């Protein structure tokens, strides 16, 4: 079978690497891909939002399965396009239509969904442009910090957590009155701050049945010890020691099942991934956010732990045949560290020569933002590489990843030195 994977980051390289190993996979196309995905299949210069061109490519190349990496094409309705165009409706498409994708595309929709289906989440209210005064008043009942979320997609920047009431007022004004996030911020969700440990849980569903993939912890801040600005993610670890069996049982019963059932009850057909951002609040799971895709860089530590034929699993999910399927998970720990361009998540330069990716023995080097020009590997983004090692302990996995990173170099390459360190304390205390 020919498969088309949309996207170009580390997440897509990890997916491509795994899909390409499947005996079911004939040609894997990645659009647009990066220098790393080129080694797993054929890169195709297609824009993820040019639905007509994607459809034509699928027909011309007898693609039978389409897998979507990022959220934007889904929120914009690529799933609906495939399901309604007669020539494409027989193609297995993994990803929800725009209605289901609103779980990520609209914070207000997601909150209403959770309340409707009694899924634990922070208490909240939604405010529109004309309600600035009411929104300010609502804030007063909370103690700091305050959580303000732009309703729409804001490239991962739409959540602001001010420490004081004054700065929260100011943010609200900027969002509601001054258009800080454009249209995405014309509507703002204000919610209770949840204190606890955060993790990412991944579900693959065909709309009726589901499987839970390995969970992961993401390190979002740019600097060591969670300092500095928020980023797309600087590293990840899977499994997460504070997500034990009891906790994951609560996640499944209180969150995963009501989410999948809720979609069915609401008449929203859904195939694809549901990424649940969770807070473990004293042993009880609360949903912080839904995403309709896999996480990045969580995918780079989750996928290497999956032993199944991934193409078979994704095809089953896309065609309503997940019933009876199980995910076989490697017990080892994966530690992923992202090498970024100096300056990221602010301004940074691209086009720097990358050396040593062949000297990362015992690790997987996933490309996040790279390109190849005249046979030279060049950086092409803020997040450049994601290096993963799978070992029998978190200590060994960290050592292996950091050893590999020391062999890799590009001008002004930076990475966090403490990925996974916080999760070792349990082990250290026990020994
Ligand atoms: P999001 O863009 O929804 O992933 O939010 C970004 C980050 O803000 C999350 O990963 C959390 O760390 C934090 N966050 C969002 N909502 C809350 C909340 N209600 N309580 C505490 N932290 C939150
Ligand atoms: N790593 C978080 C995300 O993919 O949104």
């Amino acid at each position: 079978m020919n498969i088309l994977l949309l996207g170009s980051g580390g997440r897509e390289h990890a997916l491509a690497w795994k899909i390409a190993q499947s005996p079911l996979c004939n040609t894997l196309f990645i659009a647009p891909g990066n220098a790393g995905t080129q080694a797993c299949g054929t890169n195709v210069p297609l824009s993820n939002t040019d639905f007509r061109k994607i459809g034509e490519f699928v027909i011309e190349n007898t693609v039978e399965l389409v897998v979507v990496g990022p959220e934007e094409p889904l929120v914009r309705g690529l799933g609906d396009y495939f399901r309604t165009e007669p020539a494409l409706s027989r193609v297995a498409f993994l990803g929800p239509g725009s209605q289901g994708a609103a779980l990520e595309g609209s914070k207000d929709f997601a909150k209403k969904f959770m309340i409707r289906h009694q899924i634990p989440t922070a208490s909240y209210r939604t405010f529109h442009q004309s309600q600035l005064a009411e929104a300010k008043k609502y804030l007063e009942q909370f103690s700091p910090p305050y959580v303000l979320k732009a309703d729409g997609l804001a490239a991962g920047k739409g959540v602001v957590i001010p420490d004081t009431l004054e700065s929260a007022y100011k943010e609200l004004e900027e969002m509601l009155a001054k258009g800080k996030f454009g249209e995405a911020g014309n509507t703002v969700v204000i919610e209770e701050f949840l204190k606890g440990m955060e993790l990412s849980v991944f579900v693959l569903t065909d709309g009726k049945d589901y499987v839970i993939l390995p969970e992961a912890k993401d390190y979002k801040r740019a600097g060591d010890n969670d300092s500095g600005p928020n980023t797309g993610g600087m590293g990840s670890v899977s499994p997460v020691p504070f997500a034990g069996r009891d906790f994951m049982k609560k996640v499944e019963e209180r969150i995963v099942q009501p989410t999948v059932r809720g979609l069915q009850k609401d008449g929203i057909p859904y195939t694809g991934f549901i990424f649940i951002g969770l807070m473990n609040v004293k042993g009880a799971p609360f949903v912080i956010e839904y995403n309709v895709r896999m996480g990045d860089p969580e995918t780079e530590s989750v996928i290497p732990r999956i032993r199944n034929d991934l193409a078979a699993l994704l095809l089953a999910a896309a065609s309503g045949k997940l019933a009876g399927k199980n995910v076989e998970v490697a017990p080892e720990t994966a530690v992923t560290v992202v090498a970024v361009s100096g300056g990221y998540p602010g301004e940074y330069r691209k086009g720097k020569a990358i050396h040593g990716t062949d000297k990362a023995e015992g690790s997987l080097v996933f490309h996040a933002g790279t390109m190849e020009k005249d046979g030279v590997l060049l950086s092409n983004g803020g997040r450049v590489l994601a290096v993963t090692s799978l070992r029998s302990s978190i200590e060994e996995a960290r050592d292996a990843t950091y050893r590999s990173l020391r062999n890799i170099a590009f001008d002004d390459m930076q990475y966090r030195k403490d990925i996974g360190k916080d999760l070792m304390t349990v082990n250290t205390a026990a020994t």
Side-chain angles (χ1 to χ4, degrees):
M1 140 175 101
N2 293 341
I3 301 173
L4 171 66
L5 170 66
L6 299 183
S8 63
R11 167 182 53 211
E12 285 74 21
H13 188 187
L15 289 168
W17 168 79
K18 184 75 179 164
I19 290 171
Q21 293 169 34
S22 165
L24 287 179
C25 181
N26 187 9
T27 303
L28 171 64
F29 299 105
I30 309 99
N34 61 37
T37 63
Q38 186 67 51
C40 312
T42 306
N43 284 351
V44 199
L46 282 175
S47 154
N48 279 197
T49 48
D50 192 341
F51 296 177
R52 198 174 51 81
K53 284 238 171 67
I54 295 170
E56 283 168 7
F57 181 87
V58 162
I59 291 164
E60 278 161 24
N61 294 278
T62 54
V63 169
E64 290 175 66
L65 171 65
V66 178
V67 179
V68 184
E71 67 282 5
E72 196 188 352
L74 297 172
V75 173
R76 289 198 190 198
L78 183 61
D80 309 307
Y81 184 76
F82 266 75
R83 288 177 189 110
T84 50
E85 278 292 303
L88 295 170
S89 59
R90 263 176 298 154
V91 177
F93 183 94
L94 188 73
S98 57
Q99 243 191 324
L103 279 183
E104 176 165 359
S106 164
K107 305 271 187 204
D108 178 48
F109 175 87
K111 293 299 276 192
K112 287 198 176 110
F113 177 88
M114 288 185 261
I115 302 298
R116 190 158 62 241
H117 300 294
Q118 283 123 44
I119 296 164
T121 188
S123 63
Y124 85 107
R125 253 189 77 186
T126 300
F127 297 92
H128 303 287
Q129 262 178 322
S130 59
Q131 297 173 296
L132 181 60
E134 273 172 80
K136 284 184 172 175
K137 187 118 199 63
Y138 181 74
L139 269 178
E140 288 166 13
Q141 68 175 289
F142 296 113
S143 42
Y146 304 90
V147 183
L148 313 178
K149 300 184 171 184
D151 176 56
L153 286 186
K157 299 194 176 80
V159 176
V160 206
I161 307 192
D163 280 327
T164 63
L165 197 56
E166 287 72 54
S167 51
Y169 284 161
K170 198 161 157 268
E171 271 299 335
L172 255 185
E173 270 164 34
E174 280 178 16
M175 285 161 98
L176 284 177
K178 295 185 188 150
K180 180 173 175 188
F181 295 111
E183 219 173 293
N186 287 351
T187 301
V188 172
V189 166
I190 298 179
E191 68 178 37
E192 170 198 4
F193 180 82
L194 296 172
K195 200 165 161 41
M197 290 181 289
E198 203 174 336
L199 77 156
S200 308
V201 169
F202 301 99
V203 176
L204 178 67
T205 182
D206 62 5
K208 309 184 298 288
D209 294 288
Y210 64 85
V211 290
I212 299 180
L213 306 178
E215 79 286 352
K217 177 177 156 115
D218 172 25
Y219 293 76
K220 287 190 163 75
R221 299 295 196 96
D224 282 4
N225 303 315
D226 292 333
S227 60
N230 256 322
T231 69
M234 298 293 288
S236 62
V237 175
S238 175
V240 180
F242 61 80
R245 195 171 302 194
D246 283 356
F247 179 75
M248 289 306 287
K249 190 162 172 270
K250 288 181 202 162
V251 170
E252 179 162 12
E253 289 173 359
R254 298 180 193 178
I255 293 167
V256 176
Q257 287 172 357
T259 298
V260 175
R261 270 202 309 266
L263 287 164
Q264 273 181 295
K265 278 190 202 154
D266 291 351
I268 301 175
Y270 197 110
T271 66
F273 298 106
I274 309 175
F275 159 175
I276 309 172
L278 284 180
M279 196 69 91
N280 177 337
V281 184
K282 297 185 185 134
F286 285 79
V287 178
I288 288 188
E289 60 163 349
Y290 286 113
N291 295 304
V292 298
R293 52 177 172 84
M294 288 295 290
D296 194 348
E298 290 97 322
T299 306
E300 292 93 306
S301 57
V302 165
I303 289 291
R305 295 189 61 224
I306 297 179
R307 287 181 170 158
N308 303 58
D309 174 338
L310 188 65
L313 201 60
L314 301 182
L315 179 65
S319 44
K321 292 181 184 148
L322 259 191
K325 294 272 188 299
N326 288 308
V327 180
E328 251 192 89
V329 179
E332 285 89 5
T333 295
V335 172
T336 300
V337 177
V338 179
V340 304
S341 311
Y344 173 81
E347 273 180 44
Y348 56 82
R349 286 189 311 158
K350 299 181 184 178
K352 295 166 177 174
I354 304 168
H355 306 282
T357 51
D358 55 339
K359 296 197 187 84
E361 228 169 276
S363 301
L364 295 158
V365 180
F366 296 118
H367 292 214
T370 66
M371 62 179 286
E372 203 180 295
K373 202 171 167 204
D374 305 325
V376 181
L377 183 62
L378 300 174
S379 68
N380 192 34
R383 294 193 290 179
V384 178
L385 300 168
V387 178
T388 299
S389 309
L390 193 62
R391 294 290 187 280
S392 50
S393 72
I394 188 166
E395 291 82 358
E396 289 169 84
R398 288 186 81 237
D399 285 350
T401 291
Y402 282 114
R403 206 175 318 120
S404 293
L405 272 165
R406 285 193 287 273
N407 289 330
I408 296 175
F410 55 86
D411 185 30
D412 211 6
M413 164 172 142
Q414 295 184 358
Y415 55 89
R416 270 180 68 162
K417 310 289 189 297
D418 66 336
I419 302 301
K421 213 170 172 182
D422 55 325
L423 302 180
M424 286 163 53
T425 48
V426 180
N427 287 347
T428 318
T431 52

